[in-house]
Amino acid sequence: MENGQHQDNAITIETMKQEPHKILVIDDEIGTPDSPERTAFLRAVGYFPSTGGKKPVEDYPYTFDCHTGPSEAGVNSVEAVKDAVLRCWPSPDGMRWALVLLDVRFGKDEKFGFSLLRALREDSRFGHDLPIVMLTSEDEAKRVRADELRANGFLPKADKAGNPQWSRRELEQRVLKYGLIPDDRD
């Protein structure tokens, strides 16, 4: 009897296992494959182990897709970003972005992220449903502008001294507060 109960528990646990929630990161540095910025970000949020390596930790609750912002021609492009968002909004398998992390500054363009935010909010395919958290340094003027454009929140990149501020805890707080994930907490 005990053995049968153990097998039933194993089946129940296995069927309860969920697919990781998808997060889209739109950032000119993090979006670049194999960039040190991407590796540092993924390590800081706990996706890669802090001890090194670039293999995701087991059972990490999120997956990341990254986009740099520019079109294939290398020019910052609102349409290229919209296409990246549409890949999983909604997707044929019913999955959708749980959260979009959007940088403010793209190269020398200090306001391209705000142009993207405005365009995504004005597009009827996304509207208010797409959860967008801005990646930016601590700057009150940027926060005010992002609030005006209806960003859901912020994930600070660095403090005023330039020290990195993101962490798994900070990311999870934004996902729980703003993300589109089922709330399965008791």
Side-chain angles (χ1 to χ4, degrees):
M1 182 83 163
E2 283 182 32
N3 194 14
Q5 285 178 339
H6 177 67
Q7 287 176 345
D8 289 344
N9 287 342
I11 292 169
T12 304
I13 291 170
E14 188 61 36
T15 57
M16 290 175 31
K17 198 172 189 179
Q18 296 180 353
E19 290 292 317
H21 302 290
K22 296 181 178 194
I23 296 175
L24 175 62
V25 182
I26 305 168
D27 181 291
D28 58 324
E29 294 173 339
I30 297 170
T32 304
D34 297 321
S35 70
E37 292 83 7
R38 181 184 288 195
T39 301
F41 169 77
L42 293 174
R43 194 160 283 131
V45 298
Y47 185 70
F48 289 158
S50 60
T51 56
K54 292 186 180 181
K55 183 179 178 191
V57 298
E58 195 171 314
D59 294 329
Y60 193 79
Y62 316 111
T63 60
F64 296 91
D65 279 3
C66 299
H67 192 276
T68 60
S71 66
E72 289 181 17
V75 178
N76 284 344
S77 169
V78 170
E79 292 308 313
V81 170
K82 284 183 179 182
D83 288 345
V85 173
L86 283 171
R87 282 196 315 259
C88 199
W89 190 263
S91 70
D93 64 3
M95 292 296 290
R96 61 176 184 228
W97 300 118
L99 193 67
V100 174
L101 299 176
L102 175 60
D103 194 13
V104 171
R105 181 184 184 137
F106 286 75
K108 293 181 182 183
D109 189 340
E110 294 186 25
K111 298 180 183 176
F112 183 63
F114 292 134
S115 298
L116 289 171
L117 177 58
R118 180 185 307 106
L120 291 169
R121 288 296 187 229
E122 291 174 353
D123 190 314
S124 62
R125 297 173 292 182
F126 313 117
H128 300 286
D129 294 334
L130 184 66
I132 302 172
V133 170
M134 301 301 289
L135 294 172
T136 186
S137 57
E138 294 293 323
D139 181 316
E140 190 59 31
K142 289 178 185 175
R143 285 180 180 272
V144 169
R145 183 68 182 136
D147 285 342
E148 290 170 358
L149 295 170
R150 300 182 315 268
N152 294 97
F154 293 87
L155 182 60
K157 288 180 109 173
D159 62 16
K160 291 180 182 182
N163 301 313
Q165 292 295 295
W166 44 43
S167 66
R168 182 170 179 168
R169 182 176 156 270
E170 292 288 329
L171 175 67
E172 287 177 342
Q173 286 178 345
R174 280 20 172 237
V175 171
L176 288 174
K177 186 171 183 177
Y178 306 114
L180 294 177
I181 59 171
D183 189 349
D184 58 0
R185 296 174 287 174
D186 291 335

PDB file of all heavy atoms in Angstrom, residues 13-47:
ATOM      1  N   ILE A  13       2.977  14.999  -8.321  1.00  0.00           N
ATOM      2  CA  ILE A  13       4.002  16.038  -8.354  1.00  0.00           C
ATOM      3  C   ILE A  13       4.435  16.307  -9.777  1.00  0.00           C
ATOM      4  O   ILE A  13       4.573  17.455 -10.193  1.00  0.00           O
ATOM      5  CB  ILE A  13       5.204  15.643  -7.462  1.00  0.00           C
ATOM      6  CG1 ILE A  13       4.779  15.688  -5.994  1.00  0.00           C
ATOM      7  CG2 ILE A  13       6.392  16.554  -7.712  1.00  0.00           C
ATOM      8  CD1 ILE A  13       5.791  15.090  -5.048  1.00  0.00           C
ATOM      9  N   GLU A  14       4.611  15.271 -10.578  1.00  0.00           N
ATOM     10  CA  GLU A  14       5.046  15.445 -11.959  1.00  0.00           C
ATOM     11  C   GLU A  14       3.999  16.197 -12.776  1.00  0.00           C
ATOM     12  O   GLU A  14       4.320  17.056 -13.575  1.00  0.00           O
ATOM     13  CB  GLU A  14       5.351  14.076 -12.598  1.00  0.00           C
ATOM     14  CG  GLU A  14       5.987  14.164 -13.960  1.00  0.00           C
ATOM     15  CD  GLU A  14       7.331  14.874 -13.943  1.00  0.00           C
ATOM     16  OE1 GLU A  14       8.087  14.728 -12.979  1.00  0.00           O
ATOM     17  OE2 GLU A  14       7.622  15.603 -14.912  1.00  0.00           O
ATOM     18  N   THR A  15       2.712  15.898 -12.584  1.00  0.00           N
ATOM     19  CA  THR A  15       1.676  16.566 -13.355  1.00  0.00           C
ATOM     20  C   THR A  15       1.494  18.010 -12.908  1.00  0.00           C
ATOM     21  O   THR A  15       1.003  18.828 -13.661  1.00  0.00           O
ATOM     22  CB  THR A  15       0.331  15.817 -13.255  1.00  0.00           C
ATOM     23  OG1 THR A  15      -0.044  15.713 -11.885  1.00  0.00           O
ATOM     24  CG2 THR A  15       0.420  14.447 -13.889  1.00  0.00           C
ATOM     25  N   MET A  16       1.921  18.331 -11.680  1.00  0.00           N
ATOM     26  CA  MET A  16       1.798  19.699 -11.184  1.00  0.00           C
ATOM     27  C   MET A  16       2.914  20.594 -11.706  1.00  0.00           C
ATOM     28  O   MET A  16       2.799  21.808 -11.662  1.00  0.00           O
ATOM     29  CB  MET A  16       1.813  19.718  -9.655  1.00  0.00           C
ATOM     30  CG  MET A  16       0.561  19.129  -9.043  1.00  0.00           C
ATOM     31  SD  MET A  16       0.610  18.996  -7.241  1.00  0.00           S
ATOM     32  CE  MET A  16       1.613  20.316  -6.691  1.00  0.00           C
ATOM     33  N   LYS A  17       3.975  19.997 -12.215  1.00  0.00           N
ATOM     34  CA  LYS A  17       5.112  20.774 -12.693  1.00  0.00           C
ATOM     35  C   LYS A  17       4.660  21.687 -13.837  1.00  0.00           C
ATOM     36  O   LYS A  17       4.018  21.240 -14.773  1.00  0.00           O
ATOM     37  CB  LYS A  17       6.210  19.822 -13.167  1.00  0.00           C
ATOM     38  CG  LYS A  17       7.545  20.445 -13.265  1.00  0.00           C
ATOM     39  CD  LYS A  17       8.573  19.370 -13.554  1.00  0.00           C
ATOM     40  CE  LYS A  17       9.948  19.948 -13.438  1.00  0.00           C
ATOM     41  NZ  LYS A  17      10.961  18.933 -13.677  1.00  0.00           N
ATOM     42  N   GLN A  18       4.979  22.968 -13.747  1.00  0.00           N
ATOM     43  CA  GLN A  18       4.528  23.934 -14.736  1.00  0.00           C
ATOM     44  C   GLN A  18       5.667  24.343 -15.650  1.00  0.00           C
ATOM     45  O   GLN A  18       6.832  24.256 -15.284  1.00  0.00           O
ATOM     46  CB  GLN A  18       3.992  25.189 -14.045  1.00  0.00           C
ATOM     47  CG  GLN A  18       2.776  24.945 -13.210  1.00  0.00           C
ATOM     48  CD  GLN A  18       2.298  26.224 -12.554  1.00  0.00           C
ATOM     49  OE1 GLN A  18       2.939  27.258 -12.621  1.00  0.00           O
ATOM     50  NE2 GLN A  18       1.161  26.150 -11.921  1.00  0.00           N
ATOM     51  N   GLU A  19       5.276  24.799 -16.819  1.00  0.00           N
ATOM     52  CA  GLU A  19       6.243  25.368 -17.738  1.00  0.00           C
ATOM     53  C   GLU A  19       6.747  26.689 -17.147  1.00  0.00           C
ATOM     54  O   GLU A  19       5.987  27.410 -16.489  1.00  0.00           O
ATOM     55  CB  GLU A  19       5.584  25.652 -19.090  1.00  0.00           C
ATOM     56  CG  GLU A  19       5.238  24.411 -19.873  1.00  0.00           C
ATOM     57  CD  GLU A  19       6.476  23.679 -20.359  1.00  0.00           C
ATOM     58  OE1 GLU A  19       7.423  24.333 -20.834  1.00  0.00           O
ATOM     59  OE2 GLU A  19       6.492  22.443 -20.247  1.00  0.00           O
ATOM     60  N   PRO A  20       8.006  27.025 -17.382  1.00  0.00           N
ATOM     61  CA  PRO A  20       8.501  28.316 -16.895  1.00  0.00           C
ATOM     62  C   PRO A  20       7.756  29.477 -17.554  1.00  0.00           C
ATOM     63  O   PRO A  20       7.315  29.372 -18.698  1.00  0.00           O
ATOM     64  CB  PRO A  20       9.971  28.310 -17.330  1.00  0.00           C
ATOM     65  CG  PRO A  20      10.307  26.899 -17.648  1.00  0.00           C
ATOM     66  CD  PRO A  20       9.031  26.232 -18.042  1.00  0.00           C
ATOM     67  N   HIS A  21       7.599  30.549 -16.829  1.00  0.00           N
ATOM     68  CA  HIS A  21       6.963  31.748 -17.352  1.00  0.00           C
ATOM     69  C   HIS A  21       7.951  32.470 -18.263  1.00  0.00           C
ATOM     70  O   HIS A  21       9.143  32.537 -17.969  1.00  0.00           O
ATOM     71  CB  HIS A  21       6.532  32.662 -16.199  1.00  0.00           C
ATOM     72  CG  HIS A  21       5.602  31.983 -15.245  1.00  0.00           C
ATOM     73  ND1 HIS A  21       4.317  31.647 -15.564  1.00  0.00           N
ATOM     74  CD2 HIS A  21       5.799  31.553 -13.983  1.00  0.00           C
ATOM     75  CE1 HIS A  21       3.750  31.048 -14.543  1.00  0.00           C
ATOM     76  NE2 HIS A  21       4.629  30.974 -13.562  1.00  0.00           N
ATOM     77  N   LYS A  22       7.438  33.018 -19.357  1.00  0.00           N
ATOM     78  CA  LYS A  22       8.301  33.651 -20.355  1.00  0.00           C
ATOM     79  C   LYS A  22       8.436  35.151 -20.091  1.00  0.00           C
ATOM     80  O   LYS A  22       7.436  35.850 -19.932  1.00  0.00           O
ATOM     81  CB  LYS A  22       7.735  33.427 -21.750  1.00  0.00           C
ATOM     82  CG  LYS A  22       7.721  31.976 -22.152  1.00  0.00           C
ATOM     83  CD  LYS A  22       7.182  31.805 -23.551  1.00  0.00           C
ATOM     84  CE  LYS A  22       7.228  30.339 -23.937  1.00  0.00           C
ATOM     85  NZ  LYS A  22       7.040  30.158 -25.374  1.00  0.00           N
ATOM     86  N   ILE A  23       9.677  35.608 -20.080  1.00  0.00           N
ATOM     87  CA  ILE A  23       9.976  37.025 -19.898  1.00  0.00           C
ATOM     88  C   ILE A  23      10.739  37.500 -21.124  1.00  0.00           C
ATOM     89  O   ILE A  23      11.708  36.874 -21.540  1.00  0.00           O
ATOM     90  CB  ILE A  23      10.813  37.263 -18.622  1.00  0.00           C
ATOM     91  CG1 ILE A  23       9.991  36.865 -17.388  1.00  0.00           C
ATOM     92  CG2 ILE A  23      11.273  38.724 -18.536  1.00  0.00           C
ATOM     93  CD1 ILE A  23      10.750  36.949 -16.077  1.00  0.00           C
ATOM     94  N   LEU A  24      10.284  38.603 -21.695  1.00  0.00           N
ATOM     95  CA  LEU A  24      10.959  39.215 -22.833  1.00  0.00           C
ATOM     96  C   LEU A  24      11.770  40.399 -22.325  1.00  0.00           C
ATOM     97  O   LEU A  24      11.227  41.284 -21.656  1.00  0.00           O
ATOM     98  CB  LEU A  24       9.945  39.690 -23.876  1.00  0.00           C
ATOM     99  CG  LEU A  24      10.493  40.447 -25.076  1.00  0.00           C
ATOM    100  CD1 LEU A  24      11.454  39.573 -25.888  1.00  0.00           C
ATOM    101  CD2 LEU A  24       9.357  40.945 -25.965  1.00  0.00           C
ATOM    102  N   VAL A  25      13.061  40.415 -22.634  1.00  0.00           N
ATOM    103  CA  VAL A  25      13.939  41.521 -22.259  1.00  0.00           C
ATOM    104  C   VAL A  25      14.287  42.273 -23.532  1.00  0.00           C
ATOM    105  O   VAL A  25      14.848  41.706 -24.469  1.00  0.00           O
ATOM    106  CB  VAL A  25      15.235  41.021 -21.577  1.00  0.00           C
ATOM    107  CG1 VAL A  25      16.104  42.203 -21.164  1.00  0.00           C
ATOM    108  CG2 VAL A  25      14.910  40.144 -20.383  1.00  0.00           C
ATOM    109  N   ILE A  26      13.931  43.556 -23.576  1.00  0.00           N
ATOM    110  CA  ILE A  26      14.231  44.400 -24.735  1.00  0.00           C
ATOM    111  C   ILE A  26      15.256  45.422 -24.268  1.00  0.00           C
ATOM    112  O   ILE A  26      14.929  46.367 -23.554  1.00  0.00           O
ATOM    113  CB  ILE A  26      12.963  45.086 -25.276  1.00  0.00           C
ATOM    114  CG1 ILE A  26      11.893  44.041 -25.599  1.00  0.00           C
ATOM    115  CG2 ILE A  26      13.301  45.930 -26.498  1.00  0.00           C
ATOM    116  CD1 ILE A  26      10.519  44.617 -25.862  1.00  0.00           C
ATOM    117  N   ASP A  27      16.501  45.187 -24.658  1.00  0.00           N
ATOM    118  CA  ASP A  27      17.621  46.006 -24.189  1.00  0.00           C
ATOM    119  C   ASP A  27      18.754  45.848 -25.185  1.00  0.00           C
ATOM    120  O   ASP A  27      19.075  44.737 -25.591  1.00  0.00           O
ATOM    121  CB  ASP A  27      18.044  45.518 -22.800  1.00  0.00           C
ATOM    122  CG  ASP A  27      19.185  46.306 -22.192  1.00  0.00           C
ATOM    123  OD1 ASP A  27      20.313  46.198 -22.720  1.00  0.00           O
ATOM    124  OD2 ASP A  27      18.965  47.000 -21.195  1.00  0.00           O
ATOM    125  N   ASP A  28      19.360  46.952 -25.587  1.00  0.00           N
ATOM    126  CA  ASP A  28      20.403  46.885 -26.607  1.00  0.00           C
ATOM    127  C   ASP A  28      21.639  46.126 -26.143  1.00  0.00           C
ATOM    128  O   ASP A  28      22.349  45.543 -26.962  1.00  0.00           O
ATOM    129  CB  ASP A  28      20.781  48.278 -27.107  1.00  0.00           C
ATOM    130  CG  ASP A  28      21.270  49.195 -26.008  1.00  0.00           C
ATOM    131  OD1 ASP A  28      20.763  49.124 -24.882  1.00  0.00           O
ATOM    132  OD2 ASP A  28      22.164  50.017 -26.296  1.00  0.00           O
ATOM    133  N   GLU A  29      21.911  46.086 -24.857  1.00  0.00           N
ATOM    134  CA  GLU A  29      23.086  45.368 -24.357  1.00  0.00           C
ATOM    135  C   GLU A  29      22.729  43.936 -23.948  1.00  0.00           C
ATOM    136  O   GLU A  29      23.379  42.984 -24.368  1.00  0.00           O
ATOM    137  CB  GLU A  29      23.704  46.116 -23.180  1.00  0.00           C
ATOM    138  CG  GLU A  29      24.280  47.460 -23.590  1.00  0.00           C
ATOM    139  CD  GLU A  29      24.740  48.297 -22.408  1.00  0.00           C
ATOM    140  OE1 GLU A  29      24.277  48.052 -21.267  1.00  0.00           O
ATOM    141  OE2 GLU A  29      25.553  49.200 -22.628  1.00  0.00           O
ATOM    142  N   ILE A  30      21.699  43.767 -23.141  1.00  0.00           N
ATOM    143  CA  ILE A  30      21.291  42.436 -22.702  1.00  0.00           C
ATOM    144  C   ILE A  30      20.769  41.627 -23.881  1.00  0.00           C
ATOM    145  O   ILE A  30      20.918  40.408 -23.921  1.00  0.00           O
ATOM    146  CB  ILE A  30      20.226  42.526 -21.584  1.00  0.00           C
ATOM    147  CG1 ILE A  30      20.816  43.211 -20.344  1.00  0.00           C
ATOM    148  CG2 ILE A  30      19.694  41.146 -21.220  1.00  0.00           C
ATOM    149  CD1 ILE A  30      19.797  43.552 -19.289  1.00  0.00           C
ATOM    150  N   GLY A  31      20.181  42.287 -24.854  1.00  0.00           N
ATOM    151  CA  GLY A  31      19.633  41.602 -26.009  1.00  0.00           C
ATOM    152  C   GLY A  31      20.670  41.013 -26.944  1.00  0.00           C
ATOM    153  O   GLY A  31      20.358  40.163 -27.774  1.00  0.00           O
ATOM    154  N   THR A  32      21.909  41.442 -26.822  1.00  0.00           N
ATOM    155  CA  THR A  32      22.968  40.949 -27.697  1.00  0.00           C
ATOM    156  C   THR A  32      23.434  39.570 -27.229  1.00  0.00           C
ATOM    157  O   THR A  32      23.878  39.425 -26.090  1.00  0.00           O
ATOM    158  CB  THR A  32      24.160  41.935 -27.698  1.00  0.00           C
ATOM    159  OG1 THR A  32      23.682  43.227 -28.091  1.00  0.00           O
ATOM    160  CG2 THR A  32      25.248  41.472 -28.651  1.00  0.00           C
ATOM    161  N   PRO A  33      23.325  38.543 -28.106  1.00  0.00           N
ATOM    162  CA  PRO A  33      23.749  37.197 -27.692  1.00  0.00           C
ATOM    163  C   PRO A  33      25.203  37.181 -27.234  1.00  0.00           C
ATOM    164  O   PRO A  33      26.059  37.852 -27.794  1.00  0.00           O
ATOM    165  CB  PRO A  33      23.580  36.364 -28.969  1.00  0.00           C
ATOM    166  CG  PRO A  33      22.619  37.138 -29.804  1.00  0.00           C
ATOM    167  CD  PRO A  33      22.834  38.585 -29.473  1.00  0.00           C
ATOM    168  N   ASP A  34      25.466  36.409 -26.209  1.00  0.00           N
ATOM    169  CA  ASP A  34      26.807  36.209 -25.655  1.00  0.00           C
ATOM    170  C   ASP A  34      27.488  37.483 -25.165  1.00  0.00           C
ATOM    171  O   ASP A  34      28.702  37.502 -24.974  1.00  0.00           O
ATOM    172  CB  ASP A  34      27.716  35.492 -26.668  1.00  0.00           C
ATOM    173  CG  ASP A  34      27.201  34.100 -26.989  1.00  0.00           C
ATOM    174  OD1 ASP A  34      26.717  33.422 -26.057  1.00  0.00           O
ATOM    175  OD2 ASP A  34      27.274  33.693 -28.161  1.00  0.00           O
ATOM    176  N   SER A  35      26.720  38.560 -24.951  1.00  0.00           N
ATOM    177  CA  SER A  35      27.334  39.777 -24.419  1.00  0.00           C
ATOM    178  C   SER A  35      27.596  39.616 -22.931  1.00  0.00           C
ATOM    179  O   SER A  35      26.882  38.894 -22.230  1.00  0.00           O
ATOM    180  CB  SER A  35      26.423  40.992 -24.648  1.00  0.00           C
ATOM    181  OG  SER A  35      25.276  40.919 -23.817  1.00  0.00           O
ATOM    182  N   PRO A  36      28.632  40.283 -22.416  1.00  0.00           N
ATOM    183  CA  PRO A  36      28.878  40.226 -20.971  1.00  0.00           C
ATOM    184  C   PRO A  36      27.705  40.791 -20.169  1.00  0.00           C
ATOM    185  O   PRO A  36      27.435  40.336 -19.060  1.00  0.00           O
ATOM    186  CB  PRO A  36      30.130  41.081 -20.763  1.00  0.00           C
ATOM    187  CG  PRO A  36      30.612  41.484 -22.110  1.00  0.00           C
ATOM    188  CD  PRO A  36      29.613  41.059 -23.131  1.00  0.00           C
ATOM    189  N   GLU A  37      26.983  41.759 -20.745  1.00  0.00           N
ATOM    190  CA  GLU A  37      25.826  42.344 -20.056  1.00  0.00           C
ATOM    191  C   GLU A  37      24.708  41.316 -19.897  1.00  0.00           C
ATOM    192  O   GLU A  37      24.058  41.249 -18.853  1.00  0.00           O
ATOM    193  CB  GLU A  37      25.311  43.572 -20.817  1.00  0.00           C
ATOM    194  CG  GLU A  37      26.252  44.755 -20.793  1.00  0.00           C
ATOM    195  CD  GLU A  37      27.355  44.682 -21.864  1.00  0.00           C
ATOM    196  OE1 GLU A  37      27.330  43.762 -22.726  1.00  0.00           O
ATOM    197  OE2 GLU A  37      28.240  45.541 -21.837  1.00  0.00           O
ATOM    198  N   ARG A  38      24.482  40.493 -20.950  1.00  0.00           N
ATOM    199  CA  ARG A  38      23.450  39.458 -20.849  1.00  0.00           C
ATOM    200  C   ARG A  38      23.845  38.437 -19.786  1.00  0.00           C
ATOM    201  O   ARG A  38      23.040  38.060 -18.945  1.00  0.00           O
ATOM    202  CB  ARG A  38      23.226  38.752 -22.182  1.00  0.00           C
ATOM    203  CG  ARG A  38      22.133  37.678 -22.068  1.00  0.00           C
ATOM    204  CD  ARG A  38      21.933  36.877 -23.318  1.00  0.00           C
ATOM    205  NE  ARG A  38      21.283  37.674 -24.332  1.00  0.00           N
ATOM    206  CZ  ARG A  38      20.734  37.158 -25.422  1.00  0.00           C
ATOM    207  NH1 ARG A  38      20.755  35.855 -25.641  1.00  0.00           N
ATOM    208  NH2 ARG A  38      20.165  37.940 -26.311  1.00  0.00           N
ATOM    209  N   THR A  39      25.091  37.997 -19.841  1.00  0.00           N
ATOM    210  CA  THR A  39      25.561  37.020 -18.862  1.00  0.00           C
ATOM    211  C   THR A  39      25.449  37.576 -17.443  1.00  0.00           C
ATOM    212  O   THR A  39      24.975  36.885 -16.534  1.00  0.00           O
ATOM    213  CB  THR A  39      27.014  36.611 -19.171  1.00  0.00           C
ATOM    214  OG1 THR A  39      27.060  36.056 -20.494  1.00  0.00           O
ATOM    215  CG2 THR A  39      27.528  35.591 -18.173  1.00  0.00           C
ATOM    216  N   ALA A  40      25.853  38.819 -17.245  1.00  0.00           N
ATOM    217  CA  ALA A  40      25.779  39.439 -15.913  1.00  0.00           C
ATOM    218  C   ALA A  40      24.334  39.538 -15.437  1.00  0.00           C
ATOM    219  O   ALA A  40      24.035  39.255 -14.267  1.00  0.00           O
ATOM    220  CB  ALA A  40      26.431  40.815 -15.936  1.00  0.00           C
ATOM    221  N   PHE A  41      23.428  39.926 -16.321  1.00  0.00           N
ATOM    222  CA  PHE A  41      22.017  40.022 -15.962  1.00  0.00           C
ATOM    223  C   PHE A  41      21.474  38.645 -15.570  1.00  0.00           C
ATOM    224  O   PHE A  41      20.853  38.489 -14.519  1.00  0.00           O
ATOM    225  CB  PHE A  41      21.204  40.605 -17.122  1.00  0.00           C
ATOM    226  CG  PHE A  41      19.720  40.500 -16.921  1.00  0.00           C
ATOM    227  CD1 PHE A  41      19.053  41.359 -16.060  1.00  0.00           C
ATOM    228  CD2 PHE A  41      18.984  39.532 -17.581  1.00  0.00           C
ATOM    229  CE1 PHE A  41      17.687  41.253 -15.862  1.00  0.00           C
ATOM    230  CE2 PHE A  41      17.614  39.419 -17.397  1.00  0.00           C
ATOM    231  CZ  PHE A  41      16.967  40.282 -16.536  1.00  0.00           C
ATOM    232  N   LEU A  42      21.697  37.643 -16.429  1.00  0.00           N
ATOM    233  CA  LEU A  42      21.166  36.305 -16.155  1.00  0.00           C
ATOM    234  C   LEU A  42      21.770  35.692 -14.899  1.00  0.00           C
ATOM    235  O   LEU A  42      21.103  34.952 -14.172  1.00  0.00           O
ATOM    236  CB  LEU A  42      21.372  35.404 -17.374  1.00  0.00           C
ATOM    237  CG  LEU A  42      20.553  35.808 -18.610  1.00  0.00           C
ATOM    238  CD1 LEU A  42      20.936  34.959 -19.808  1.00  0.00           C
ATOM    239  CD2 LEU A  42      19.057  35.751 -18.335  1.00  0.00           C
ATOM    240  N   ARG A  43      22.997  36.012 -14.617  1.00  0.00           N
ATOM    241  CA  ARG A  43      23.619  35.531 -13.385  1.00  0.00           C
ATOM    242  C   ARG A  43      23.018  36.270 -12.179  1.00  0.00           C
ATOM    243  O   ARG A  43      22.721  35.660 -11.148  1.00  0.00           O
ATOM    244  CB  ARG A  43      25.131  35.729 -13.461  1.00  0.00           C
ATOM    245  CG  ARG A  43      25.861  34.970 -12.387  1.00  0.00           C
ATOM    246  CD  ARG A  43      27.321  34.729 -12.693  1.00  0.00           C
ATOM    247  NE  ARG A  43      27.446  33.637 -13.656  1.00  0.00           N
ATOM    248  CZ  ARG A  43      28.182  33.689 -14.761  1.00  0.00           C
ATOM    249  NH1 ARG A  43      28.891  34.745 -15.045  1.00  0.00           N
ATOM    250  NH2 ARG A  43      28.233  32.669 -15.581  1.00  0.00           N
ATOM    251  N   ALA A  44      22.833  37.586 -12.301  1.00  0.00           N
ATOM    252  CA  ALA A  44      22.303  38.383 -11.182  1.00  0.00           C
ATOM    253  C   ALA A  44      20.878  37.975 -10.809  1.00  0.00           C
ATOM    254  O   ALA A  44      20.525  37.999  -9.630  1.00  0.00           O
ATOM    255  CB  ALA A  44      22.350  39.869 -11.532  1.00  0.00           C
ATOM    256  N   VAL A  45      20.056  37.605 -11.807  1.00  0.00           N
ATOM    257  CA  VAL A  45      18.682  37.213 -11.498  1.00  0.00           C
ATOM    258  C   VAL A  45      18.555  35.720 -11.205  1.00  0.00           C
ATOM    259  O   VAL A  45      17.455  35.203 -11.043  1.00  0.00           O
ATOM    260  CB  VAL A  45      17.690  37.641 -12.608  1.00  0.00           C
ATOM    261  CG1 VAL A  45      17.659  39.154 -12.747  1.00  0.00           C
ATOM    262  CG2 VAL A  45      17.992  36.955 -13.928  1.00  0.00           C
ATOM    263  N   GLY A  46      19.699  35.021 -11.129  1.00  0.00           N
ATOM    264  CA  GLY A  46      19.710  33.632 -10.711  1.00  0.00           C
ATOM    265  C   GLY A  46      19.439  32.616 -11.792  1.00  0.00           C
ATOM    266  O   GLY A  46      19.283  31.435 -11.505  1.00  0.00           O
ATOM    267  N   TYR A  47      19.360  33.027 -13.049  1.00  0.00           N
ATOM    268  CA  TYR A  47      19.115  32.094 -14.149  1.00  0.00           C
ATOM    269  C   TYR A  47      20.350  31.239 -14.420  1.00  0.00           C
ATOM    270  O   TYR A  47      20.240  30.042 -14.650  1.00  0.00           O
ATOM    271  CB  TYR A  47      18.710  32.876 -15.395  1.00  0.00           C
ATOM    272  CG  TYR A  47      18.304  32.019 -16.570  1.00  0.00           C
ATOM    273  CD1 TYR A  47      17.110  31.291 -16.547  1.00  0.00           C
ATOM    274  CD2 TYR A  47      19.083  31.957 -17.721  1.00  0.00           C
ATOM    275  CE1 TYR A  47      16.719  30.518 -17.624  1.00  0.00           C
ATOM    276  CE2 TYR A  47      18.700  31.191 -18.803  1.00  0.00           C
ATOM    277  CZ  TYR A  47      17.520  30.469 -18.750  1.00  0.00           C
ATOM    278  OH  TYR A  47      17.130  29.707 -19.834  1.00  0.00           O
TER     279      TYR A  47
END
